[in-house]
Amino acid sequence: MSDAKLGGGLLVAGTTSDAGKSVVTAGICRWLARQGVKVAPFKAQNMSLNSFVTREGAEIGRAQAMQAQAARVEPTALMNPVLLKPGSDQSSQVVLLGKPVGEMSARGFFGGSGGSSPGKALHGGRQEQLLGIVTDCLEQLRGTYDAVICEGAGSPAEINLRRTDIVNMGIARAARFPVVVVGDIDRGGVFASFFGTTALLSPEDQSLIAGYMVNKFRGDVSLLEPGMEMLRGLTGRATYGVLPFRHGLGIDEEDGLRVSLRGAVRESVVAPPVGEDVLRVAVCAVPLMSNFTDVDALAAEPGVVVRFVDRAEELADADLVVVPGTRGTVKALAWLRERGLADALLRRAAEGRPVLGICGGFQVLGERISDEVESRAGEVDGLGLLPVRVRFEREKTLARPVGSALGEPVEGYEIHHGVAEVLGGVPFLDGCRVGSVWGTHWHGSLESDGFRRAFLREVASAAGRRFVPAPDTSFASLREEQLDLLGDLIEEHADTRALLRLIEDGAPAGLPFLPPGAP
């Protein structure tokens, strides 16, 4: 650990999306926190359907919430001031400083015409104003923490977007932060990606590219060393670490269909199921699926097998079907009907087989949906499995509820425009239950260990399975173990002394320019 006082930061960029920026950022945060450094994560602009609600009622990306946990600090809106939540291939909801301010097309957001107005905060000179907002948030964090570790988005060499960039080199230039570029060698072409990423940047941007970090390497590092030496000769920049490929590492995903902790927990838990049977959980992979991390806690249980499905026949052997959250409730409802999944859910309910709807999935299971906000479809019939009517409001509900169910304490968080009027059934986490069909707006409830075990016992009973939940599974402890493993990766396989120098002193002086530079 350096004796110098920290006061700077670092931007973790990537050669591509999914190169490992989120994981490396979390790992650096956990490593610094273990050294006694007061550190905060930061991502100026995120695009994700997986989000979280802070204690002050602000919505941010789940990855930043997990990075805050890695840093052992409370997440705030300052850590992710701009969140884009896709509603289609062409438009997203803009969440600014934790609150939704409207919908906008991609062309409109990045400086072109088109798209509905997302509020006065983004009128005219939109990206300049956003850059001012995000740099102000970053400066507030820098005034509170010893170090700030920023995560970029996509690649800094997306030259079509550089003029409006506020998350990669735009924020690095504004803060004068050094940049480490992460590349996924498991995909191949990592040296070309490092060189090409650097060579497509302007001289001013290149002056902040301090070096590189190889991610997901398999094999003998000595075989890679000649390449790293040649890369240094070509670029004048060091490689700050070679992180080995590790199964089961990760934090809450921004997008995609992976269960972020399922692989991690599955591969780290060696204990067999406690009971004689396993439980099979099928998660309907609805369009615009959001907060699919809700099922991570189920996958953490020994003997619970979780998979995503998109065909009706895949529900046949499931002991529990989860209809997860979605940014398009009416679209998800139509998709379920088109694929025959809706009929399969109706048959399950009639047979007394368990179904759980969460947030948008809860809304789908109701009798009626009135939506002039999200889909503007007006009145739409739901599946009618729960006595619930849903009306979409322009103001989004963002909350951190606490309560109890099945005799156990439960905590969760809510992110939804739909307001549910519950007309019957047995109360269940502000939603309801009818027979074996359960519905709630609460995300994250299954992370409450006692409740999760009680719920799984109910599911096993209804499914006729001799499944017994493990008595000692702690989801919070498993998550902490994952974050410690990320910290171990950095501590054991990165040049931590050099990283500290970057954080304290910035990018090395005199870094060479690689032609051709930005077009």
Side-chain angles (χ1 to χ4, degrees):
M1 178 67 188
S2 170
D3 293 329
K5 177 176 173 56
L6 294 174
L10 177 73
L11 175 71
V12 178
T15 56
T16 62
S17 295
D18 203 30
K21 297 183 293 292
S22 296
V23 164
V24 170
T25 299
I28 293 175
C29 285
R30 176 49 59 101
W31 160 65
L32 286 172
R34 293 197 303 211
Q35 307 306 309
V37 176
K38 189 178 180 184
V39 59
F42 179 78
K43 186 163 185 172
Q45 177 182 301
N46 199 352
M47 178 174 281
S48 178
L49 286 172
N50 283 335
S51 57
F52 182 76
V53 179
T54 67
R55 293 203 181 279
E56 70 266 29
E59 184 179 9
I60 65 172
R62 276 198 66 95
Q64 280 61 66
M66 286 292 287
Q67 289 163 355
Q69 185 173 350
R72 296 175 175 157
V73 298
E74 189 68 30
T76 74
L78 294 176
M79 297 172 184
N80 179 206
V82 181
L83 174 63
L84 306 179
K85 303 192 72 176
S88 70
D89 291 340
Q90 300 296 324
S91 67
S92 294
Q93 182 181 69
V94 181
V95 179
L96 186 63
L97 296 174
K99 303 297 180 183
V101 294
E103 296 278 336
M104 176 160 282
S105 70
R107 181 176 178 84
F109 184 81
F110 289 108
S113 60
S116 58
S117 167
K120 292 182 180 179
L122 303 185
H123 280 190
R126 182 174 303 118
Q127 297 303 117
E128 292 81 359
Q129 291 187 36
L130 283 177
L131 182 59
I133 291 170
V134 300
T135 54
D136 179 65
C137 290
L138 178 55
E139 288 307 305
Q140 289 186 60
L141 290 174
R142 293 180 75 177
T144 305
Y145 294 90
D146 299 328
V148 180
I149 308 302
C150 305
E151 179 189 344
S155 162
E158 291 170 352
I159 54 180
N160 56 314
L161 300 177
R162 177 60 186 92
R163 181 178 59 84
T164 57
D165 170 48
I166 64 170
V167 65
N168 290 305
M169 300 314 299
I171 195 68
R173 285 267 291 274
R176 301 305 303 168
F177 272 4
V179 180
V180 172
V181 181
V182 177
D184 180 357
I185 198 170
D186 201 46
R187 297 182 175 191
V190 72
F191 292 125
S193 298
F194 285 147
F195 186 92
T197 296
T198 309
L200 279 175
L201 301 177
S202 69
E204 294 81 5
D205 286 350
Q206 285 195 28
S207 70
L208 296 175
I209 302 294
Y212 314 107
M213 189 175 291
V214 177
N215 191 30
K216 299 183 184 178
F217 180 70
R218 305 172 190 249
D220 185 347
V221 175
S222 67
L223 298 176
L224 199 64
E225 288 171 353
M228 292 189 291
E229 283 301 312
M230 285 185 275
L231 182 68
R232 182 161 196 156
L234 289 166
T235 68
R237 291 161 171 87
T239 298
Y240 287 89
V242 178
L243 308 184
F245 187 96
R246 289 284 187 269
H247 288 286
L249 290 181
I251 60 174
D252 290 15
E253 302 289 347
E254 292 184 354
D255 290 300
L257 284 182
R258 287 176 296 175
V259 184
S260 62
L261 283 178
R262 176 176 55 181
V265 173
R266 277 278 177 233
E267 290 157 9
S268 62
V269 174
V270 295
V274 175
E276 298 179 45
D277 288 344
V278 299
L279 277 186
R280 295 173 176 83
V281 179
V283 185
C284 297
V286 296
L288 300 173
M289 183 166 52
S290 61
N291 289 72
F292 54 82
T293 48
D294 283 331
V295 298
D296 283 352
L298 294 177
E301 288 285 349
V304 177
V305 180
V306 178
R307 67 183 189 273
F308 290 97
V309 304
D310 60 4
R311 296 182 300 180
E313 54 268 30
E314 293 178 288
L315 303 189
D317 66 344
D319 301 306
L320 169 67
V321 174
V322 177
V323 188
T326 172
R327 250 278 280 158
T329 298
V330 171
K331 182 181 292 187
L333 184 56
W335 181 87
L336 290 168
R337 286 176 167 140
E338 289 165 3
R339 290 178 169 261
L341 287 159
D343 288 338
L345 289 170
L346 293 172
R347 287 194 297 272
R348 286 186 66 87
E351 295 165 0
R353 302 176 67 197
V355 175
L356 171 64
I358 302 174
C359 200
F362 167 43
Q363 297 165 5
V364 161
L365 299 179
E367 297 173 350
R368 193 84 172 152
I369 298 168
S370 177
D371 182 11
E372 298 293 347
V373 176
E374 191 175 77
S375 67
R376 298 184 177 87
E379 297 287 324
V380 179
D381 287 331
L383 297 186
L385 295 179
L386 293 175
V388 174
R389 294 178 183 173
V390 177
R391 182 185 70 260
F392 275 72
E393 300 285 358
R394 295 198 177 277
E395 185 172 347
K396 181 184 285 189
T397 297
L398 297 170
R400 290 277 292 269
V402 295
S404 64
L406 303 180
E408 298 286 346
V410 187
E411 296 183 10
Y413 59 99
E414 294 184 64
I415 306 170
H416 53 91
H417 284 279
V419 176
E421 181 185 7
V422 179
L423 303 172
V426 178
F428 173 68
L429 299 179
D430 292 342
C432 65
R433 171 189 183 181
V434 173
S436 62
V437 180
W438 317 63
T440 177
H441 271 136
W442 291 23
H443 294 290
S445 63
L446 294 167
E447 295 179 20
S448 297
D449 296 327
F451 164 71
R452 182 181 64 254
R453 287 191 278 269
F455 176 71
L456 289 175
R457 283 192 289 269
E458 292 262 351
V459 169
S461 176
R465 296 287 185 188
R466 290 170 294 184
F467 169 85
V468 178
D472 56 355
T473 301
S474 167
F475 186 73
S477 297
L478 289 169
R479 178 170 277 169
E480 277 295 304
E481 288 176 15
Q482 296 305 306
L483 295 174
D484 274 331
L485 288 174
L486 296 181
D488 292 344
L489 272 186
I490 298 299
E491 186 169 343
E492 296 169 10
H493 300 283
D495 187 343
T496 54
R497 295 174 71 88
L499 287 176
L500 280 172
R501 286 195 299 271
L502 287 181
I503 293 168
E504 295 170 356
D505 303 329
L511 293 169
F513 170 70
L514 304 187

